[in-house]
Amino acid sequence: MTRVSRNFSDTVEKEALPAVSADVIFASSRFPNYKIGANNHIVNVKGDPKVLSMKEIVARETALLLEQQNRLSVRDLANKFEKGLAAAAKLSEEARLREAASLEKHVLLKKLRDALESLKGRVAGRNKDDVEALAVQLTQREGELIQEKTEVKKLATFLKQASEDAKKLVDEERAFARAEIENARAAVQRVEEALQEKEQMSRASGKQDLEELMKEVQEARRIKMLHQPSKVMDMEHELRALRVQLAEKSKHSLLLQKELARSKRVKENLSHLYELDGAEVLGSYLRIKPCSDIAPELSKCAIQWYRISSEGGKKELISGARKSVYAPEPFDVGRILQVEIIYDGQLIMLTTTGAIDPAAGLGNYVEALVRKHDVEFNVVVTQMNGVDQPSESIHVLHVGKMRMKLCKGKATIAKEYYSGLMQLCGVRGGGNAAAQALFWQAKKEFSVVLAFESERDRNAAIMLARRFAFDCNIMLAGPDDRASLGT
C-alpha cells in the first residue's frame, strides 16, 4: 500500500473535493483527536483514563443516595434527590448529545467516503492507492462509530431507566416525607387542642373565682348599706318611727322628772317661781317658764346660760346666751345646762335634769356628708351685721373642706377660708326658731344669722364645718368659746 504523504492536500486539487455540508452540528467545540499510527492507520486518541464514564457516575451517585437516605433528614433527603434527579437529567442530556454527535460523525464519514469514491476516478497511480487506503480506514471508522452508537444507545437506555428509578425513589421519599409531615401536624394539632382545653379550663375556673369574688363584694356592699341608714329608705322610716317614740318617751320622762323635782322642792320648803320647759335633746329648745303668779316678768330679770361638764362639774359661760329661750348646739351634747335668773339681787338657778342627748341619726347623716367635697344647704338670711333683713329670699350655704361660701343665685355674698377669726355656733336666743338658726362670722366686718329648713340641717352644718376646720387645724366655735374649750 502506498504511503500517504504529508503534502497530500497540496497534490490534490481543491476543485476535485466536493464541499462539506454546512449544516453539520458538532457535539464539542473541537474536532476529535486523531493521529497516524503504524501502517498509516488513523488512530483515535482516547481521553484521560482517569475520567469516569457516565455509567459509573450514575452508579456511584445512586449508591450514595441509597446509602444516605436512612440517615438524612426529610428536607436534606429531598434536596439530595432533587440534585440527583438533576444530575441524571444532565447525564441523559449529555448522552443524547453524544448520540447526536455520533450520528453527525457517521454522516460526516459517509460524505467523506463519497468524496473519496468520487476521487477514485479522477486520480491515478500512487494517489489512487492512497485514496483507497483512506477509504478503507474511513470504512473501519464508520464501523467503530456504529458500535459506539450502539453502546451510546444502551447507555441512554440505562440512564433513562436510572432516571425513572430515581424519580420513583424521589416520589416514594416525598410520600414518606408528606406522611411524616402529616404525622407532625397531627401531633402539633393534638398539642394545640390540649393547650386550648387547658386554657378554657383555666378561664372557666378564673370566671368562677371572679363570680364568687363579685358575690362577696355584693354581700359586703349590702352589709355596708345596712350600716348607712341615711341611704336606705326602709331603715329611714324605721328610724323616724323610733325618733317619734323616743321623743314621746323623752317628754314623758321629762314630765316625771319635773314632777319629782317639784315635789322635792316643796318638801324642802323652797320657793319655786320658774322652771325649764322643753325636751333636753339636740334639735329642740329650752324655755324659762313661770310657774307662779308672783314670779316677776323675765324682761325685768338678768338671764345667763351656762354649760356644766358632767364629769368634772366645770361651769362654762355661754357668751351671748341672755334670752329666756336657748337652743342647744352640738357643743352642749353630753353636758348639763344651767340658767341663772337675777331679780332685785336675788339669784334663782334652774338646771336640766340630765345631760343633753344627741339627735337620733344625726351622726350617721354627718358621716355621709363628710365624704362629699362640698355640701350645700338652703338658708334664709335673717340678720346681717346685726341688722334684721326683711327679705326671705333663699340663699345657699356651701360648706367645703377648705372654706365656707354664701351665695344668692350666681352672686357670691361671702367666701372665706377657715381661720382663727371665723366664728360659728347656734343662735343664742331668738324664740321658737332658735333651733333652726346659726350665727356665722366670716370675718370681723361681716356676720350673718342664717335660718335653715330644719333643725337637722342646722346641726349638721355646724358639725360638718367644725370637722372640716379641725382638719385644717382650726377650732371653729362661737364667741368666747375657744378659751373655755382650750382650758
Side-chain angles (χ1 to χ4, degrees), residues 284-466:
S284 63
Y285 62 91
L286 299 175
R287 180 189 295 273
I288 302 174
K289 179 182 178 182
C291 58
S292 175
D293 295 336
I294 61 174
E297 295 181 4
L298 293 175
S299 59
K300 298 178 181 180
C301 300
I303 302 173
Q304 180 62 56
W305 290 82
Y306 298 88
R307 60 173 68 98
I308 302 173
S309 176
S310 58
E311 297 178 356
K314 183 180 179 181
K315 189 175 181 180
E316 301 172 1
L317 174 70
I318 303 176
S319 178
R322 299 184 181 91
K323 303 292 184 180
S324 61
V325 177
Y326 178 76
E329 64 164 83
F331 269 156
D332 299 326
V333 175
R335 301 184 182 186
I336 298 172
L337 295 180
Q338 186 182 77
V339 59
E340 292 182 354
I341 304 171
I342 301 176
Y343 176 74
D344 196 14
Q346 295 183 359
L347 177 62
I348 302 173
M349 290 190 301
L350 301 176
T351 306
T352 57
T353 56
I356 302 299
D357 295 325
L362 181 61
N364 293 330
Y365 179 61
V366 173
E367 289 297 329
L369 296 179
V370 167
R371 299 186 182 93
K372 299 181 180 180
H373 183 74
D374 186 85
V375 184
E376 299 179 358
F377 297 96
N378 293 328
V379 297
V380 175
V381 179
T382 60
Q383 284 186 7
M384 184 178 294
N385 296 327
V387 180
D388 295 337
Q389 301 294 316
S391 176
E392 295 183 357
S393 59
I394 301 298
H395 294 63
V396 178
L397 178 65
H398 296 265
V399 180
K401 292 185 178 295
M402 301 295 294
R403 66 186 180 183
M404 293 180 65
K405 181 172 65 172
L406 180 63
C407 300
K408 182 180 180 181
K410 295 184 179 180
T412 301
I413 298 176
K415 179 175 69 174
E416 291 293 332
Y417 289 92
Y418 299 114
S419 65
L421 300 177
M422 186 179 292
Q423 296 180 2
L424 183 70
C425 63
V427 170
R428 295 166 180 180
N432 299 338
Q436 300 180 10
L438 62 78
F439 170 79
W440 178 42
Q441 177 178 308
K443 47 189 177 180
K444 287 185 178 181
E445 61 272 12
F446 182 82
S447 63
V448 290
V449 175
L450 306 176
F452 287 75
E453 294 178 344
S454 64
E455 297 86 353
R456 184 184 188 187
D457 288 347
R458 175 255 201 180
N459 294 322
I462 295 174
M463 295 175 65
L464 195 63
R466 287 175 176 172

